[in-house]
Amino acid sequence: MATTRSVALAGWRLLQRFGKLLSSQGVLIILLSLAVFASFRYETFLTPLNLMNIMRQNSMLALVALGMTVVILSEGIDLSVGSLVALGGVVAAMLAEQGSFVAIACGIASTTLLGMVNGLLVSRARLQPFVVTLFTASAARGLALSITQERSIALPSSASGLVWLGRGFIGWFPVPVVIVALLYLVTWFVLHRSRLGLHIFAIGNNEEASRLMGVNPKQIKLVVYTFSGLMSGLAGVVLAGRLGAGQPVAGFGWETDAIAATVMGGTFLSGGQGSVFPTLIGVLLLGMMYNLLNLEGTITPWWQLVLRGALLLLVVLFQKRIAQKR
């Protein structure tokens, strides 16, 4: 009898530990489990070419999700990121004849400026982030379509630096993957090892309390939305280099994917809790899911959108339960 009770108790403790691991590293466990499943079902999944394609194709989304994570940590939201990706790529393509440096700098500067506008309207005018960034998304998309007359802008042959940014390699690694790795490392350091990062977490947890402690929430919000605009512009420039053209319809729906990757990584939509590397795992999980759907070949792109929305809803519900337990 005692032995049975001991075994039951040990089993219960094991389940509790697994539950804690799942709540803290759930997205990583799901990613590894999905990779194991895919390696048995699809012969081409573990090939270097396919794995490299997953990383390269999702590196632009990883940049957008990085900016989104910082915004959500401050208890905000940015629905303009997809449109800013399109605008940054279009501006870079239109100025590519002036040289790659000018094209890249202006493409990033244009979206950084709009990100700053978002931050000013949210922090100074005290408007809701949802409304502000929804307006910016509409304005940026309309601007991109207007200045291009609704057509793609091909990159000239002289824009070799811009093309290298999207298609080049540094050693064995694609340039976009190297950019993502460096920026995630720098952002992690800023968030967890600097005063600015401490203030971002503080206003995400409790803005009023952080103000009483001497934090300036207006300044922090301006910084995070500007950073999100910068990341979106960089993603757009890299995407233009990869595609060989600036496309005004690029980045459609990326705000949903960026939010999904962020919340799957454990960053709470209520702000104040999360980190950037779990977001990167969330991006890889999304990329792997779409890759498997393509390898399966029986699910249309429209049903893939349905599955993406359902996945986001399930993740938010799962996070809500974790928050209630804590």
Side-chain angles (χ1 to χ4, degrees):
M1 185 68 177
T3 303
T4 304
R5 185 175 301 176
S6 300
V7 172
L9 183 60
W12 173 248
R13 288 177 178 173
L14 183 61
L15 286 175
Q16 284 183 320
R17 291 179 181 177
F18 180 76
K20 291 180 180 179
L21 179 63
L22 187 61
S23 64
S24 61
Q25 304 292 335
V27 66
L28 180 59
I29 294 175
I30 295 172
L31 177 68
L32 295 177
S33 301
L34 192 62
V36 172
F37 165 78
S39 64
F40 284 103
R41 181 168 178 82
Y42 309 105
E43 294 181 357
T44 59
F45 175 75
L46 285 181
T47 59
L49 179 61
N50 185 61
L51 295 178
M52 189 66 69
N53 282 336
I54 292 176
M55 290 191 293
R56 288 208 302 181
Q57 289 174 359
N58 292 279
S59 57
M60 287 72 73
L61 177 61
L63 294 173
V64 175
L66 179 60
M68 183 70 75
T69 300
V70 176
V71 170
I72 291 178
L73 283 174
S74 67
E75 201 182 4
I77 198 74
D78 190 351
L79 301 180
S80 66
V81 291
S83 298
L84 294 184
V85 167
L87 182 61
V90 162
V91 171
M94 295 184 70
L95 296 175
E97 292 184 352
Q98 307 300 321
S100 295
F101 178 79
V102 173
I104 295 170
C106 291
I108 296 174
S110 63
T111 60
T112 303
L113 180 60
L114 287 178
M116 188 180 299
V117 171
N118 283 338
L120 288 172
L121 291 175
V122 170
S123 62
R124 306 293 177 177
R126 297 184 179 180
L127 299 177
Q128 289 296 322
F130 179 88
V131 177
V132 170
T133 58
L134 190 60
F135 161 76
T136 308
S138 178
R141 183 71 68 180
L143 182 60
L145 290 168
S146 177
I147 62 178
T148 60
Q149 299 180 353
E150 302 182 20
R151 57 187 176 85
S152 298
I153 305 297
L155 298 181
S157 57
S158 59
S160 57
L162 183 55
V163 173
W164 177 81
L165 199 65
R167 303 181 187 175
F169 283 82
I170 297 177
W172 293 94
F173 300 99
V175 173
V177 175
V178 176
I179 293 174
V180 167
L182 292 176
L183 286 176
Y184 268 76
L185 282 170
V186 171
T187 306
W188 179 90
F189 182 85
V190 171
L191 284 176
H192 298 280
R193 295 292 186 272
S194 72
R195 184 182 298 272
L196 174 60
L198 179 63
H199 290 177
I200 291 173
F201 280 103
I203 68 169
N205 278 305
N206 192 317
E207 183 175 335
E208 185 60 30
S210 65
R211 183 183 291 109
L212 295 175
M213 291 187 296
V215 178
N216 187 345
K218 294 181 179 180
Q219 185 178 8
I220 300 302
K221 290 180 180 180
L222 178 60
V223 169
V224 298
Y225 282 99
T226 302
F227 178 72
S228 180
L230 189 153
M231 288 295 101
S232 298
L234 177 58
V237 170
V238 173
L239 181 62
R242 176 168 170 75
L243 298 178
Q247 298 185 349
V249 295
F252 178 76
W254 281 29
E255 57 277 357
T256 305
D257 285 343
I259 295 171
T262 301
V263 298
M264 279 194 296
T267 299
F268 282 20
L269 288 172
S270 55
Q273 183 173 335
S275 189
V276 294
F277 285 118
T279 294
L280 183 57
I281 298 175
V283 171
L284 293 175
L285 178 58
L286 276 180
M288 186 181 297
M289 287 178 56
Y290 296 149
N291 180 255
L292 297 187
L293 292 173
N294 290 330
L295 290 177
E296 189 68 29
T298 58
I299 302 178
T300 65
W302 314 121
W303 278 107
Q304 291 183 24
L305 292 174
V306 174
L307 292 175
R308 180 175 64 186
L311 175 65
L312 177 58
L313 178 61
L314 289 175
V315 171
V316 172
L317 292 175
F318 181 65
Q319 275 200 353
K320 183 179 179 180
R321 292 198 61 180
I322 294 175
Q324 289 174 343
K325 290 180 179 180
R326 290 180 178 177

